[in-house]
Amino acid sequence: MSIETTMTSDVVGLTKVASVSRRGFMSATAAVAAGYTLAAGPVRAEAITTDVNGLQTGDVKIKVGSEEMPAYFARPAGSTKAPVIIVAMEIFGLHEYIRDVTRRLAKLGAFAVAPDYYFRKGVDLTEVTEIKDLLPIVNAKPHAELLSDLDATVAWAGSQGGDTGKLGIIGFCRGGRTVWEYAAHSGGLKAGVAFYGTVVDPANPLWPKSPMQLAPEMKAPVLGLYGGADTGIPVTQVEQMKAALEQHKKTAEFKIYPEAPHGFHADYRSSYRKDAAEDAWKQAQAWFKKYGVLS
């Protein structure tokens, strides 16, 4: 199996969730109109929608080298020096769920920014309907380029009045892995929250080290939120990651929701588990407050 088509553990987890009745889901036409991806399966009619009241939101372009990277941001209207939180997306692109999470963070007082760091392939991932067509794009993202794109996002937020001295990152699925990677890279990061991010990678020369291999290099405290029923990321791997971090005296905490599958926070998908998602969101807020990202 080539790197381009490798089913990483996050992809395995999101594709092996028990099937459900299509009742209570949007039609494909309605889902697309609402801005959701179709690659993840049917979209729940009760997906969370966060309004923009009191917020400044928008699509922007962030300079990365000689190119411009699309991004979506949300922050309290009229805010100055709001803490910066980067939102690391799933493999499905900058679709409505990620945008909504960005607004939720802005409601908490953050200048939240979700960069579309897969843009160089010239494909709008939100319009791709099959996971197999996403893999050659997302698996080919070089580790070094990803980190550079995130650094550029932070710099842009700072240039727009964000307080990068209070920097956090939150990510989901592949974005959860990104949280671990960025925590090992950025000396300016105050805290990270990883929702079901992979900790062990298949062989890929573009990703020199997996999060577990980076355990000795972690520079910021990370909260790991995982599902005990995740079919792609077994609890044993999460425990190994915890042990590796403890061995190197790194600050991290983990919470495992025993009955929750991969993607339990994704309120637009059938994998959504309300109780786990709501508790995990509270845990994330508390983590960011504990380490001075949010007040």
Side-chain angles (χ1 to χ4, degrees):
M1 183 178 288
S2 68
I3 292 168
E4 290 77 11
T5 59
T6 296
M7 291 280 284
T8 52
S9 55
D10 52 355
V11 176
V12 171
L14 66 87
T15 56
K16 291 189 176 182
V17 175
S19 60
V20 296
S21 165
R22 295 246 172 176
R23 293 182 62 185
F25 290 84
M26 299 182 191
S27 68
T29 300
V32 170
Y36 291 99
T37 179
L38 295 181
V43 176
R44 295 178 66 248
E46 295 183 353
I48 296 172
T49 301
T50 304
D51 62 57
V52 298
N53 295 337
L55 303 181
Q56 177 190 7
T57 67
D59 292 290
V60 296
K61 294 291 183 69
I62 296 173
K63 190 76 171 176
V64 285
S66 62
E67 300 174 283
E68 292 186 321
M69 174 173 61
Y72 177 78
F73 79 92
R75 63 179 173 182
S79 70
T80 56
K81 303 303 286 183
V84 174
I85 299 181
I86 304 305
V87 182
M89 61 191 180
E90 317 148 299
I91 64 173
F92 304 114
L94 197 48
H95 73 121
E96 183 57 22
Y97 166 65
I98 296 300
R99 291 168 179 265
D100 200 90
V101 167
T102 304
R103 293 192 292 273
R104 294 175 212 177
L105 291 166
K107 292 279 188 176
L108 298 176
F111 183 169
V113 191
D116 185 3
Y117 34 69
Y118 296 118
F119 76 100
R120 290 177 182 83
K121 294 294 185 179
V123 178
D124 184 347
L125 298 188
T126 68
E127 297 180 357
V128 179
T129 59
E130 299 289 339
I131 288 179
K132 65 178 179 60
D133 297 325
L134 291 171
L135 295 180
I137 298 171
V138 299
N139 287 352
K141 179 69 177 178
H143 173 86
E145 185 180 81
L146 172 62
L147 298 177
S148 178
D149 288 346
L150 294 174
D151 285 342
T153 301
V154 174
W156 176 83
S159 75
Q160 301 301 307
D163 185 355
T164 57
K166 297 179 178 179
L167 176 64
I169 185 171
I170 189 170
F172 307 86
C173 195
R174 183 66 59 89
R177 175 192 182 276
T178 297
V179 169
W180 289 113
E181 299 281 315
Y182 199 61
H185 164 77
S186 174
L189 187 68
K190 295 299 183 185
V193 178
F195 277 79
Y196 32 85
T198 57
V199 294
V200 177
D201 298 327
N204 184 339
L206 298 176
W207 305 347
K209 293 183 180 180
S210 69
M212 194 174 299
Q213 291 171 318
L214 286 169
E217 302 174 38
M218 292 295 160
K219 298 176 177 63
V222 176
L223 172 64
L225 300 165
Y226 289 84
D230 191 323
T231 56
I233 305 172
V235 173
T236 52
Q237 280 188 2
V238 179
E239 294 294 345
Q240 288 169 0
M241 182 68 175
K242 180 180 179 180
L245 291 163
E246 289 176 345
Q247 177 186 349
H248 295 285
K249 297 180 170 56
K250 301 301 180 179
T251 302
E253 290 184 14
F254 293 82
K255 184 161 186 179
I256 296 172
Y257 297 89
E259 306 302 321
H262 191 86
F264 64 81
H265 184 270
D267 51 83
Y268 71 100
R269 293 210 304 256
S270 62
S271 59
Y272 179 61
R273 298 295 184 269
K274 185 175 186 293
D275 289 348
E278 290 180 351
D279 183 78
W281 189 249
K282 290 177 184 176
Q283 298 289 336
Q285 291 179 59
W287 190 256
F288 282 138
K289 288 178 180 178
K290 181 178 181 178
Y291 291 99
V293 177
L294 294 175
S295 57

